[in-house]
Amino acid sequence: MNKRIAITGFGVKVPNGENNNDLLDHLISGEYDFTARNDITPNQEPLWVGEILGDLGTLEDKQYRVLPRISKLAISTSAEALAMGGLDLTDPGNKTGVFFGTTMGGTTPLEEMVHYASAGKFREMPVYCCGLVHYHSLASSISSFFHLTGISKTVTTGCTAGLEALEDAMLYLQSGKINTAIVGAADSSNNKVTVYGFGKIRALPFNQEIWNSGSPFNKKSKGFILSEGAASLILETEEHALSRNATIYGYVDAVSTNNDAESVNGQDKTGRNMKRAVNDVLGNRRPDYFNSQALGYDANDRIEDIVSRDIFQHEVPLTSIKGLIGHPFSVSGLAQIIASLLGFQHHFIPGTIRTDQHGYEHLPLITKTLPKATSEVLITSHGYGGNNACVYLTKQ
């Protein structure tokens, strides 16, 4: 019998949600703010992006100062999650693992390091350059910052990486090798490399009004809003959480992941394997709603439509928070979980903002914050390269 896995703390830092309370306020109000940038686009066209504007920490420790931005984002959200969970990491009874996901890793500092190297500026290259660009700097920085000497893993599968880090943590928790885990994801890729790459496949909305940028379930949307951020969860076996009288905010009841096996340059347009992942976590259950991947990029949003049609016959409500937070790559799935956990706590379903449902009028889409108690939610995620990930989240 599998052990139940409880969520006892969480932390978030995404555009329009730079901590749990900030995200809660914006989920309820629907208010948002994105930044128009033209310094990272091919022809200086304006492009809406989501940026973290708040402080990432003011610690003066040298090792903290030289970390890549994704590590600082992750440390911030992990500290919030740990404070919320009241987990004492010095307790010898805690066997804690660290599992983090990222899509692009240290792309922004990599741009800078390539510039130094291609210009022959060896003396200007920082001595800590390897740590800035190494993918595993993400999980290892959490381990070093919080003095955790156990399992430390970084997952780099793409937009699903946060949920796949969660799946890895689940396996270790259920095996008994650990009893607590810090699980998270971070990405910060608002830079030319990322913009040029996704611009090449017409996934980004150059020179568009905000209403045609990252508008979920809207065929007038010209692509997703690129954003940065981080999210962290504290996971524990239910037995361990109850033994220390921790507050349990929800349970990760099931996780399923797979790959479309179609192409490294896309995904299966039929949604066949996405549906398989959904059915794996559902069993015979039906959620109160599902918190979807939809991000205003029609190639992705169509797959969510297929899931709604073929599995739920368009009878289960669905929503997307991407109109509010943009698309922070690997962080997306965990941010969707946190939004649903806040909904559990405060009795609401987050609405899908900034969409008129053009071309998707048939969907039972929640477009405004809906006051309603919920206890079961499906989380969906999929992306470039064909990986699919689903989580079934329960309140009790």
Side-chain angles (χ1 to χ4, degrees), residues 34-361:
F34 294 106
T35 303
R37 291 183 60 177
N38 62 9
D39 59 314
I40 54 177
T41 54
N43 299 299
Q44 289 72 58
E45 314 96 319
L47 176 71
W48 294 100
V49 298
E51 298 182 324
I52 302 301
L53 303 176
D55 185 28
L56 299 188
T58 56
L59 298 180
E60 293 302 318
D61 181 82
K62 181 181 178 181
Q63 298 234 342
Y64 180 82
R65 294 201 308 273
V66 302
L67 290 174
R69 184 170 175 82
I70 55 170
S71 291
K72 293 178 182 179
L73 286 163
I75 288 170
S76 174
T77 58
S78 296
E80 182 180 22
L82 286 165
M84 183 181 191
L87 184 64
D88 179 7
L89 294 176
T90 66
D91 184 341
N94 293 338
K95 297 183 290 182
T96 304
V98 175
F99 303 83
F100 269 72
T102 185
T103 300
M104 301 295 286
T107 314
T108 300
L110 179 60
E111 275 191 336
E112 298 170 5
M113 300 309 109
V114 169
H115 170 74
Y116 288 134
S118 60
K121 296 182 177 180
F122 180 74
R123 293 179 65 87
E124 286 84 353
M125 185 82 79
V127 295
Y128 50 87
C129 62
C130 294
L132 288 175
V133 302
H134 185 28
Y135 279 93
H136 189 52
S137 291
L138 182 54
S140 65
S141 66
I142 299 296
S143 296
S144 62
F145 189 84
F146 294 105
H147 307 293
L148 297 169
T149 59
I151 297 160
S152 182
K153 294 183 179 292
T154 301
V155 178
T156 60
T157 49
C159 296
T160 55
L163 294 187
E164 291 179 274
L166 172 64
E167 182 180 44
D168 283 1
M170 292 272 289
L171 293 172
Y172 276 89
L173 286 162
Q174 289 175 340
S175 74
K177 288 187 176 182
I178 59 174
N179 53 27
T180 63
I182 304 174
V183 176
D187 267 295
S188 180
S189 297
N190 296 351
N191 54 51
K192 284 187 175 182
V193 168
T194 306
V195 169
Y196 279 43
F198 282 97
K200 200 73 176 179
I201 62 171
R202 299 182 178 180
L204 294 178
F206 296 129
N207 201 27
Q208 297 291 326
E209 296 296 327
I210 189 67
W211 287 102
N212 290 331
S213 303
S215 176
F217 297 118
N218 178 4
K219 290 186 180 290
K220 293 180 290 186
S221 181
K222 304 302 182 183
F224 65 85
I225 288 183
L226 175 65
S227 68
E228 62 175 347
S232 300
L233 304 175
I234 305 302
L235 299 187
E236 304 181 49
T237 60
E238 182 181 43
E239 179 184 26
H240 186 271
L242 293 175
S243 73
R244 66 181 192 89
N245 296 314
T247 299
I248 295 175
Y249 298 97
Y251 291 88
V252 183
D253 191 80
V255 183
S256 180
T257 66
N258 62 39
N259 187 271
D260 291 334
E262 289 281 331
S263 168
V264 297
N265 293 310
Q267 59 200 87
D268 178 15
K269 296 179 181 179
T270 71
R272 180 177 62 254
N273 289 296
M274 186 68 204
K275 291 189 295 182
R276 183 162 60 88
V278 171
N279 280 320
D280 282 348
V281 299
L282 284 179
N284 296 317
R285 300 171 296 191
R286 180 160 287 208
D288 296 314
Y289 70 99
F290 73 98
N291 197 321
S292 77
Q293 159 83 3
L295 65 164
Y297 179 43
D298 199 50
N300 278 52
D301 294 11
R302 283 199 306 265
I303 293 174
E304 300 294 335
D305 185 8
I306 290 169
V307 169
S308 177
R309 181 195 68 198
D310 292 356
I311 295 181
F312 299 121
Q313 296 76 51
H314 293 318
E315 294 175 352
V316 170
L318 73 161
T319 193
S320 169
I321 63 170
K322 299 297 181 65
L324 180 68
I325 71 170
H327 183 46
F329 292 148
S330 65
V331 182
S332 299
L334 296 179
Q336 290 166 236
I337 287 176
I338 290 173
S340 294
L341 290 170
L342 290 170
F344 284 169
Q345 278 186 287
H346 300 279
H347 308 294
F348 72 92
I349 299 175
T352 308
I353 69 167
R354 297 196 307 102
T355 185
D356 62 7
Q357 271 188 265
H358 179 75
Y360 289 97
E361 294 87 353

